[in-house]
Amino acid sequence: MHCTVLIALVASILAGPIDFESDLKHNVDLGRLQKDLASLEERLTNTPDVEAEISLLKEAYEKTVIESPTPINGSTCKDEDINEINEKAGEEKDLFEGDVLLTTEQLSLIENIHSSNRSRRQALSDAGYSWGTVNPVIPYSYSAGYAMDRRPTIEAAMKFWEKYTCVRFKPATSGYRVEVRESAGCSSYVGKIDDRKGTQGLNLGQNCMSIGTICHELSHTFGFFHVQSRFDRDRYVDIDFNNILSGDKHNFDLEPADKTTLRDIPYEFGSNMHYYHKDFARDESKPAIYAKPAYKVYQEGMMGRLPTFYDILGVNKHFNCAANCKSSISCSNGGIQDVNNCSKCLCPLGWAGDKCTQAPRESNTRLSTTSSRYFMHNTDQFSQVFKYIVKMILIKAPAGMKVQMTPKVLGTRWSNSCDPMGIEIKFLKDARPSGLQVCDWRVQQPTITSETNEMLVQAYTLGDQSVVEMQYKAVN
């Protein structure tokens, strides 16, 4: 969402009722929904050991907050994430996990979770239908009067998924389909909810118009939930339930291990499907989600601006896209076979070529103890698909040594998902996980040490001024 569209949000509210309300009331009893979600919260508590760990993490976090942060030119604008948009629109209280729509059938199954030993995820999949596997086609249409100027961005997000997976979207005017609807917020059903004539809503208001936000909602449409609901979440993060309002705690319910599959996808802080660390926080100056000590470097890097390599792999596994390829090929550096061109590989960020053997073009390979600054400005700010200006920076230390770097981003805009501008730092030996995202100039970022003698930095901006400042050196 760009900051200048707030007027459009107000206008949409003043214009009259939105489809979101009638769609919800048609499919589920809202009073019943809110009562059932509240009942889930009674069992969401932490052990004394976890509370003690959270106390230490709070102290460490407070030391990173800059008391009087200064942006690049003294003026700032914050772009809101999905949960913030839905909360301001007054829609969040009627949604599951912040942006998920439910049907009556799904709610009925959720009510019987404990007595039937079902998990939430199992319950919802039991009540749904499949889009199919191997090249599934998802028909879609727009509701009457839906703004023409938003459609190119929505279709760009669809093309993103088509480029990297076997999912296909097809415009349709009849038959069962996804209908993109006007709303003050952003929300979707999970998976296909019916198999007859009619439509299921994909609510995308003016403030939802970023490719990353739309890709997130389409992931729900595919059948995906949020990362922090995974049954293995507590190995990676602590949830501070004391800093979450009553009525919002259910958003952090966990899935039982014996009722879910992770598809061999690791927990990823930077996933496009992960909450921001302050989502649903009572005191928004403090996190609701703390990265555990072993992963503290990712504290400011939760919630990715675009689907990650692992997000893409998860969708491909979900729809069995690999069946497109009759024979397998070998890919280097963590790459996977491209399901749309089986003779080539799909590469993680930082690698290229048919077999992922080509390193990115080096923009800077000299190390020094002084700061290196990169100024980025996109004069062609608003193309219909919101083009990014991107620069790849490879920092290389002598063989046998590592790169140590402290990043900083200055600019006029920021968002929880680092959508408008920022940097992504790849410092692990394994190229597949997303890197650490940095964009918030109000917080002192951690010093990062690479696992090898190379560190890759991707700097990007949608159009506003941004300066990337990096202090780096070679260490043993």
Side-chain angles (χ1 to χ4, degrees):
M1 184 207 86
H2 193 270
C3 299
T4 56
V5 303
L6 290 176
I7 295 175
L9 169 61
V10 174
S12 71
I13 295 174
L14 294 177
I18 54 177
D19 287 344
F20 171 83
E21 295 174 349
S22 60
D23 189 50
L24 268 179
K25 292 175 182 176
H26 174 73
N27 284 298
V28 70
D29 182 326
L30 296 185
R32 178 177 157 198
L33 168 65
Q34 291 164 11
K35 179 181 177 181
D36 288 338
L37 294 183
S39 70
L40 291 175
E41 299 191 354
E42 297 175 2
R43 56 191 175 87
L44 295 176
T45 58
N46 287 324
T47 65
D49 287 346
V50 171
E51 287 296 329
E53 184 171 77
I54 289 175
S55 180
L56 294 175
L57 291 170
K58 281 182 182 178
E59 292 180 15
Y61 180 82
E62 289 171 0
K63 293 177 181 178
T64 69
V65 178
I66 300 172
E67 290 187 5
S68 300
T70 304
I72 189 171
N73 62 0
S75 63
T76 66
C77 184
K78 182 180 184 299
D79 290 16
E80 295 165 341
D81 70 17
I82 294 170
N83 290 320
E84 290 173 320
I85 293 169
N86 289 343
E87 183 179 4
K88 286 191 174 182
E91 297 181 359
E92 184 270 331
K93 68 181 186 305
D94 297 326
L95 294 167
F96 188 58
E97 290 196 359
D99 65 337
V100 172
L101 297 161
L102 291 179
T103 65
T104 297
E105 291 81 7
Q106 291 170 336
L107 180 58
S108 295
L109 287 170
I110 287 174
E111 289 174 335
N112 296 320
I113 286 173
H114 302 296
S115 60
S116 64
N117 198 30
R118 277 192 177 99
S119 73
R120 289 184 313 170
R121 193 181 307 260
Q122 184 68 42
L124 296 186
S125 63
D126 284 352
Y129 297 83
S130 172
W131 293 112
T133 59
V134 191
N135 307 320
V137 176
I138 300 179
Y140 74 95
S141 62
Y142 295 97
S143 62
Y146 192 84
M148 294 296 296
D149 61 349
R150 297 184 211 161
R151 301 184 187 194
T153 305
I154 294 169
E155 289 162 18
M158 292 178 178
K159 288 176 182 177
F160 178 98
W161 283 120
E162 289 182 335
K163 179 178 180 180
Y164 296 113
T165 73
C166 65
V167 178
R168 296 295 179 263
F169 295 91
K170 179 182 179 180
T173 57
S174 62
Y176 192 78
R177 61 196 184 277
V178 172
E179 183 177 70
V180 181
R181 298 173 181 172
E182 180 59 78
S183 174
C186 328
S187 55
S188 171
Y189 290 97
V190 171
K192 187 178 184 181
I193 64 169
D194 208 334
D195 204 26
R196 298 163 291 185
K197 293 181 180 180
T199 62
Q200 68 180 66
L202 173 59
N203 297 316
L204 296 173
Q206 175 66 55
N207 290 352
C208 309
M209 288 300 107
S210 77
I211 292 178
T213 293
I214 300 166
C215 282
H216 178 106
E217 296 305 331
L218 288 173
S219 292
H220 287 316
T221 302
F222 296 159
F224 284 82
F225 287 81
H226 296 115
V227 171
Q228 72 285 336
S229 293
R230 288 169 48 132
F231 65 78
D232 62 345
R233 176 195 69 198
D234 291 342
R235 301 178 193 171
Y236 303 94
V237 299
D238 290 325
I239 308 301
D240 185 5
F241 290 110
N242 294 322
N243 192 31
I244 300 172
L245 289 170
S246 177
D248 285 336
K249 294 180 182 180
H250 67 83
N251 293 307
F252 296 93
D253 196 19
L254 281 177
E255 308 297 342
D258 62 342
K259 297 294 182 181
T260 56
T261 175
L262 302 179
R263 303 182 184 89
D264 295 320
I265 303 297
Y267 192 97
E268 191 172 37
F269 294 90
S271 167
N272 186 238
M273 300 303 288
H274 201 294
Y275 281 173
Y276 178 59
H277 68 278
K278 292 181 180 177
D279 278 342
F280 303 106
R282 181 196 303 268
D283 179 354
E284 295 182 355
S285 69
K286 298 179 175 63
I289 308 175
Y290 286 95
K292 280 185 170 291
Y295 306 99
K296 62 182 180 180
V297 69
Y298 293 105
Q299 182 62 49
E300 292 292 327
M302 301 181 200
M303 180 184 281
R305 66 186 176 98
L306 290 172
T308 66
F309 182 80
Y310 274 130
D311 288 335
I312 292 167
L313 180 57
V315 172
N316 279 323
K317 288 189 173 187
H318 179 67
F319 289 115
N320 193 27
C321 295
N324 269 341
C325 300
K326 304 307 178 184
S327 59
S328 61
I329 61 173
S330 177
C331 302
S332 300
N333 297 303
I336 58 173
Q337 193 165 16
D338 187 339
V339 298
N340 293 315
N341 186 345
C342 298
S343 65
K344 296 183 178 181
C345 297
L346 180 65
C347 307
L349 178 66
W351 292 99
D354 290 352
K355 299 296 186 288
C356 303
T357 56
Q358 298 176 16
R361 186 172 61 183
E362 297 179 5
S363 300
N364 188 303
T365 58
R366 295 183 60 188
L367 284 167
S368 69
T369 56
T370 59
S371 297
S372 181
R373 303 188 100 204
Y374 295 89
F375 179 81
M376 303 179 68
H377 180 65
N378 183 359
T379 55
D380 182 24
Q381 183 173 350
F382 292 111
S383 65
Q384 287 188 324
V385 295
F386 289 18
K387 292 179 180 177
Y388 284 97
I389 291 292
V390 176
K391 185 168 186 177
M392 302 290 284
I393 306 158
L394 182 64
I395 307 173
K396 199 168 186 177
M401 300 188 75
K402 298 178 180 179
V403 178
Q404 189 175 83
M405 189 257 280
T406 303
K408 188 176 184 180
V409 176
L410 305 174
T412 56
R413 292 169 59 194
W414 81 96
S415 75
N416 296 346
S417 62
C418 289
D419 181 65
M421 61 186 179
I423 58 177
E424 180 176 350
I425 306 164
K426 303 273 283 188
F427 61 96
L428 300 177
K429 183 178 181 180
D430 186 349
R432 293 171 296 176
S434 58
L436 172 65
Q437 291 188 121
V438 175
C439 64
D440 193 343
W441 42 265
R442 302 167 303 164
V443 178
Q444 177 63 50
Q445 299 296 337
T447 296
I448 305 159
T449 303
S450 63
E451 291 185 347
T452 69
N453 71 321
E454 293 183 346
M455 181 180 289
L456 180 69
V457 180
Q458 182 191 59
Y460 61 89
T461 179
L462 274 177
D464 292 72
Q465 291 179 334
S466 63
V467 172
V468 177
E469 181 178 294
M470 299 178 292
Q471 293 181 330
Y472 50 82
K473 61 183 179 180
V475 297
N476 291 314

